[in-house]
Amino acid sequence: MPEFSLDLNEDQLQLQKWVHDFAEGVVRPAASEWDEREETPWPIIQEAAKIGLYSFEFFFNAFGDSSGLTLPLVTEELFWGDAGIGLSIFGSALAVAAIAGVGSPDQVAEWVPQCFGSADDPQLAAYAVSEADAGSDVSALRTRAIYDEASDEWVLNGTKTWITNGGIADVHVVVASVDSDLRSRGQASFVIPPNTPGLSQGSKFKKHGIRASHTAEVVLEDVRVPGRMLLGGKERLDERLARAREGKSSHKHGAMSTFESSRPTVGAQALGVARAAYEYALDYAKERVQFGRPIIMNQAIAFKLADMRTEIDAARLLVWRAAWMARNGKPFEAGEGSMSKLKAGEVAVRVTEEAIQILGGAGYVREHPVERWARDAKIFTIFEGTSEIQRLVVSRAISGMRIV
Ligand SMILES: Cc1cc2nc3c(=O)[nH]c(=O)nc-3n(C[C@H](O)[C@H](O)[C@H](O)COP(=O)(O)OP(=O)(O)OC[C@H]3O[C@@H](n4cnc5c(N)ncnc54)[C@H](O)[C@@H]3O)c2cc1C
């Protein structure tokens, strides 16, 4: 049994510095431009692919780290640079997690590398679950997948909404209902390969924050994919459906377990934004002079900064714990994954708002990045499960009761 330690190892420290340098030198200088343009920052994605940060190999190695900390570490650094660009670069990870989580080894080997493309020609992936009438309530999906036995093909119809990289991704992973009577237990995930007829982008959304990240509807009209595109395979699906029809317990819900495993990483994204705002506000408070002294000399300002730092550090410990648990097969018995995302998301909102307050008028105008960080931070209490849904997961886990 190794002694307890929170020290990062040499590899982790190097990786952290490498991503920090990229975030500082490439991402942050471009952040304001892409926020204003509200477009996918392809040149920055290409830079990330060129240095190997956006690549199958990088994610493979990061997932392989037995401490589980590599992914949260690098994610925090990238999002410290900018959350919109960060999500454009790491947004494919949710589709990758879905394929890795429910796909067969052959499917993982075939499709995960395609989610990234190559260093010369990077590609994106999208994970499409949400629909207009099925946001928090993932069990209410209307998108249908029907099996055509004669051709061994699945036929998908429906409209997904608010999908990161939706319609511009090469690989889409779509969650659809195969037996609506079974609600969430009658759902399955499908890989939709590049250029499949019938899949198109619907409306692209104009957003409050993370505006460099593309968010759009995905329309599926008679989308036909070969039987082998069903993640996990037909045999496993049929067994699962049969168990559900008999009222027997089954494995966890596919979409929910994908979200659960990715929550600590989303918490790390929020941490990056919170830390950026805290550091900026700290520097500003030491330099800005009013009433003949730096504003940090007032406890009202200094204590805000003390609280901001305390909250960020507390959130990071929750993120690291959940990431370590997930990597080492420790079950989230008290909803620890949700706790980490809940805390980090709410800390990011509070810290960025306090940072605006510390900067005063300078915090409210676009000459400084703080107002952008506050706009960006809000997404972390909404996507991949709202704060209310995280509280639902934690309260159900700690009580063992069906809290509604
Ligand atoms: C920028 C962006 C990117 C996104 N990317 C993706 C993506 O890539 N893939 C994808 O599938 N989805 C994506 N989403 C969708 C996102 O996951 C949903 O928006 C989110 O799950 C909330 O669903 P909703 O918006 O329908 O809100 P609703 O479910 O309508 O919730 C509205 C409010 O009611 C509350 N509420 C709902 N049910 C309960 C309850 N039982 N108890 C207490 N409160 C409740 C919510 O917490 C919230 O405050 C994205 C969304 C955004 C904005």
Side-chain angles (χ1 to χ4, degrees):
M1 188 85 175
E3 68 180 59
F4 178 75
S5 168
L6 285 171
D7 282 338
L8 299 176
N9 65 35
E10 244 347 279
D11 288 351
Q12 289 167 332
L13 288 169
Q14 270 182 24
L15 219 51
Q16 189 182 37
K17 182 172 180 323
W18 178 60
V19 180
H20 184 82
D21 289 349
F22 181 75
E24 190 171 36
V26 179
V27 174
R28 206 176 259 199
S32 170
E33 178 192 341
W34 293 98
D35 173 59
E36 294 294 342
R37 285 172 65 165
E38 293 195 53
E39 286 169 13
T40 303
W42 280 107
I44 316 288
I45 296 170
Q46 278 154 357
E47 289 282 309
K50 216 184 300 164
I51 64 162
L53 173 60
Y54 184 64
S55 71
F56 165 64
E57 291 74 18
F58 177 77
F59 273 77
F60 183 78
N61 290 332
F63 277 118
D65 164 24
S66 61
S67 73
L69 295 191
T70 298
L71 213 50
L73 282 174
V74 298
T75 301
E76 180 179 333
E77 293 314 311
L78 185 63
F79 281 68
W80 173 91
D82 183 60
I85 295 176
L87 196 64
S88 296
I89 297 173
F90 275 8
S92 303
L94 207 54
V96 170
I99 298 170
V102 279
S104 67
D106 284 351
Q107 288 171 326
V108 173
E110 180 174 5
W111 291 107
V112 171
Q114 291 201 49
C115 290
F116 297 96
S118 64
D120 296 330
D121 187 18
Q123 301 295 339
L124 302 175
Y127 184 55
V129 183
S130 303
E131 298 176 4
D133 294 323
S136 299
D137 183 6
V138 195
S139 68
L141 296 186
R142 292 215 181 130
T143 297
R144 294 278 174 273
I146 295 171
Y147 186 57
D148 178 350
E149 203 141 7
S151 59
D152 180 29
E153 284 177 324
W154 287 93
V155 186
L156 284 87
N157 278 287
T159 300
K160 298 291 180 181
T161 197
W162 303 310
I163 306 305
T164 302
N165 297 338
I168 61 166
D170 227 30
V171 175
H172 288 76
V173 176
V174 173
V175 180
S177 172
V178 292
D179 183 338
S180 53
D181 292 342
L182 297 175
R183 309 273 298 172
S184 61
R185 298 178 71 190
Q187 294 172 356
S189 303
F190 300 85
V191 173
I192 315 294
N195 307 316
T196 301
L199 185 149
S200 60
Q201 182 188 306
S203 307
K204 179 187 168 189
F205 295 99
K206 288 177 83 67
K207 301 197 298 293
H208 176 64
I210 54 162
R211 299 197 303 178
S213 169
H214 171 100
T215 315
E217 288 177 332
V218 174
V219 181
L220 302 132
E221 283 171 317
D222 289 329
V223 170
R224 285 186 164 267
V225 290
R228 66 188 179 82
M229 296 301 165
L230 165 67
L231 285 174
K234 182 106 175 26
E235 209 173 301
R236 243 171 68 188
L237 173 67
D238 288 342
E239 275 171 26
R240 186 157 60 82
L241 294 179
R243 288 180 67 79
R245 286 181 192 123
E246 286 167 21
K248 290 186 185 153
S249 68
S250 68
H251 296 298
K252 276 191 235 156
H253 180 263
M256 288 310 284
S257 55
T258 298
F259 286 133
E260 230 171 80
S261 67
S262 64
R263 275 175 186 153
T265 314
V266 179
Q269 298 175 358
L271 273 176
V273 179
R275 203 184 93 215
Y278 154 75
E279 288 174 1
Y280 200 91
L282 177 63
D283 289 345
Y284 188 88
K286 289 201 278 195
E287 275 167 25
R288 172 73 172 166
V289 173
Q290 287 293 279
F291 300 100
R293 57 177 189 252
I295 58 170
I296 198 170
M297 297 302 285
N298 303 291
Q299 281 191 0
I301 299 295
F303 284 12
K304 268 191 207 305
L305 287 156
D307 284 347
M308 287 154 80
R309 177 62 188 263
T310 304
E311 289 286 288
I312 290 169
D313 283 9
R316 187 181 295 106
L317 289 173
L318 287 177
V319 166
W320 284 14
R321 178 181 70 168
W324 173 81
M325 289 176 77
R327 179 65 186 86
N328 288 284
K330 313 266 179 211
F332 287 157
E333 279 167 1
E336 287 88 344
S338 287
M339 263 187 224
S340 71
K341 193 255 176 189
L342 168 64
K343 179 71 181 170
E346 299 210 333
V347 165
V349 170
R350 201 155 46 245
V351 164
T352 52
E353 211 242 346
E354 288 288 56
I356 293 182
Q357 193 63 24
I358 290 170
L359 266 75
Y364 200 70
V365 296
R366 295 202 175 177
E367 277 67 27
H368 293 266
V370 171
E371 68 79 33
R372 185 178 71 246
W373 290 330
R375 286 186 286 109
D376 291 347
K378 188 59 195 158
I379 193 60
F380 299 111
T381 65
I382 296 174
F383 73 178
E384 297 215 25
T386 62
S387 286
E388 290 76 17
I389 295 304
Q390 310 305 335
R391 289 190 168 91
L392 207 57
V393 173
V394 174
S395 58
R396 283 177 180 170
I398 59 175
S399 69
M401 297 176 82
R402 191 85 195 146
I403 314 282
V404 292

